[in-house]
Amino acid sequence: NKMASLKRAIENKCKDCIYDESVKGSWRHQVEACSDKTCGLWEVRPVTIGTREANRTKRIEAVNV
């Protein structure tokens, strides 16, 4: 599946760029906390499930207003 491959490639690039095992938090937490908005992947970087659900709820609420 091309989408799964693309998602995996983005995850791997972000993880390779920022993840540090000696720093507290999972690789997703560290990637989510990335502040490099100049990165071409910043808008599509992996985030935690909690953040993904919160964003989905905000979008649904905005549509229903």
Side-chain angles (χ1 to χ4, degrees):
N1 180 324
K2 273 192 168 186
M3 287 305 289
S5 296
L6 179 58
K7 181 178 184 271
R8 187 168 295 118
I10 293 169
E11 288 176 349
N12 288 337
K13 177 60 181 168
C14 290
K15 185 177 177 180
D16 182 56
C17 178
I18 201 166
Y19 180 57
D20 182 349
E21 290 181 8
S22 66
V23 175
K24 184 178 179 182
S26 70
W27 71 268
R28 278 191 189 274
H29 283 100
Q30 290 180 30
V31 169
E32 182 177 48
C34 176
S35 61
D36 185 3
K37 293 182 180 180
T38 64
C39 174
L41 298 177
W42 192 83
E43 286 289 331
V44 295
R45 74 194 187 286
V47 295
T48 61
I49 292 171
T51 297
R52 190 173 348 140
E53 292 301 318
N55 290 341
R56 181 179 299 152
T57 300
K58 286 178 190 174
R59 286 193 306 271
I60 291 169
E61 289 172 351
V63 169
N64 291 330
V65 171

